[in-house]
Amino acid sequence: RNFVNGAAVNLGVLKSIAAFLVDIHAANENAAVLDAARQLDVLDRFAGLEPERERTRAAWNEWAALRAEKERFDASLPSPEACERLRRDWEEIDRAAAHENEDVELNARHELAAHSQSIVESASAVCGLLTENEESVVERLAECRRLLRTLERIDPAHASEFMEGLDAAAESVNALSASLASFAADIEIDEREFAEMENRLRLLQTLKRRYGPELSDVLAHAERIREQLDAFDNADSQRREFQKKDDLLQK
């Protein structure tokens, strides 16, 4: 077993570093000159070509990196058959024109609409108790205010404080009743609008089942498809760019 700095290495690694670590004095010590890489190194040093060698190495590395990038680009391109499938997927998602969190918002709206009748009835009943009936909360507060008139003659300071409290309570009750009435009016929809909402939910559910599981996954999938199709459609232009760079590096 061979170890370098405590790590196990194979014979290939050991051979590649041995020449830099061990100086052998033996009958065949001149065998190193038979190594092709050593011969080139000696020749370059003898001719003083180290700077040119480094420039050549840098140019080669740059060209090799460009070649690897081109190979990765070609490997990433979908086949024409795959592109046809991707285009169909893209068109299906694009036609839907879905947006982030649309399904969540629509589900909440649908839940309210599905129970709109009971919600409207409850809201109307509460509005009646708060402001509209003869015995409503607002009427009771007004009665309380009339009763405090007696205290107003006896202790104006305290009466004024209590009157202000009753007025604030009446204002809050009126605001609450108005909010309830507005809420009930907003969730009332006709049958056609409700049917459209359910159709839209079914469409989004189909997209999530095919490309999801979440709507955000569907939109991310569409973006990936667009990038793949753009790369495929512009492949010739990108290859020309690679060729230009290749030509420049070989000059």
Side-chain angles (χ1 to χ4, degrees):
R1 293 183 297 172
N2 308 297
F3 294 88
V4 175
N5 290 339
V9 297
N10 58 35
L11 287 176
V13 174
L14 189 63
K15 182 179 178 180
S16 67
I17 66 174
F20 302 99
L21 301 177
V22 180
D23 190 11
I24 300 175
H25 297 275
N28 295 321
E29 65 180 349
N30 60 343
V33 300
L34 300 179
D35 181 67
R38 182 65 61 85
Q39 292 172 357
L40 288 173
D41 183 59
V42 171
L43 182 60
D44 287 341
R45 282 189 286 129
F46 177 78
L49 297 176
E50 290 94 335
E52 287 80 359
R53 182 177 65 184
E54 292 307 314
R55 286 194 293 272
T56 301
R57 177 183 287 114
W60 169 265
N61 289 337
E62 188 175 357
W63 180 82
L66 177 65
R67 182 177 60 179
E69 183 183 358
K70 181 179 181 299
E71 290 174 353
R72 287 194 298 271
F73 173 76
D74 288 334
S76 69
L77 290 178
S79 66
E81 295 77 11
C83 274
E84 290 303 314
R85 293 193 299 271
L86 291 174
R87 289 188 198 282
R88 288 195 295 269
D89 292 349
W90 162 256
E91 289 169 0
E92 181 181 17
I93 299 173
D94 186 56
R95 280 196 304 271
H99 60 79
E100 192 78 25
N101 293 325
E102 181 184 359
D103 55 334
V104 176
E105 298 165 2
L106 200 56
N107 270 314
R109 176 73 173 157
H110 179 268
E111 184 68 15
L112 288 176
H115 301 88
S116 60
Q117 183 175 355
S118 59
I119 293 174
V120 169
E121 291 174 355
S122 298
S124 298
V126 173
C127 286
L129 292 172
L130 290 175
T131 59
E132 297 171 5
N133 297 341
E134 291 183 1
E135 298 294 323
S136 67
V137 174
V138 169
E139 287 298 325
R140 293 296 182 91
L141 290 173
E143 180 63 23
C144 291
R145 204 177 193 287
R146 286 191 292 271
L147 292 173
L148 283 176
R149 293 294 184 186
T150 303
L151 180 61
E152 191 176 24
R153 292 192 298 270
I154 302 170
D155 189 346
H158 284 94
S160 177
E161 178 184 348
F162 297 143
M163 291 288 192
E164 289 177 1
L166 287 172
D167 290 342
E171 184 177 350
S172 296
V173 169
N174 281 311
L176 177 58
S177 180
S179 295
L180 276 169
S182 176
F183 171 73
D186 286 343
I187 66 170
E188 283 189 292
I189 61 174
D190 57 32
E191 292 184 3
R192 187 183 68 175
E193 185 179 354
F194 186 73
E196 290 174 353
M197 187 184 301
E198 290 195 318
N199 289 335
R200 182 65 177 174
L201 280 172
R202 279 194 292 270
L203 173 61
L204 295 179
Q205 189 61 37
T206 298
L207 292 177
K208 290 194 294 182
R209 186 173 62 253
R210 290 179 180 173
Y211 311 110
E214 301 299 331
L215 189 58
S216 58
D217 299 317
V218 176
L219 299 177
H221 180 65
E223 181 62 20
R224 288 192 297 271
I225 290 177
R226 187 189 62 78
E227 292 174 356
Q228 288 180 286
L229 292 176
D230 285 348
F232 181 85
D233 293 338
N234 298 299
D236 290 341
S237 175
Q238 183 59 52
R239 290 191 182 100
R240 286 193 293 270
E241 287 299 317
F242 282 131
Q243 190 59 51
K244 287 180 183 179
K245 293 179 181 178
D246 188 278
D247 294 340
L248 287 174
L249 288 174
Q250 295 191 50
K251 288 183 178 179

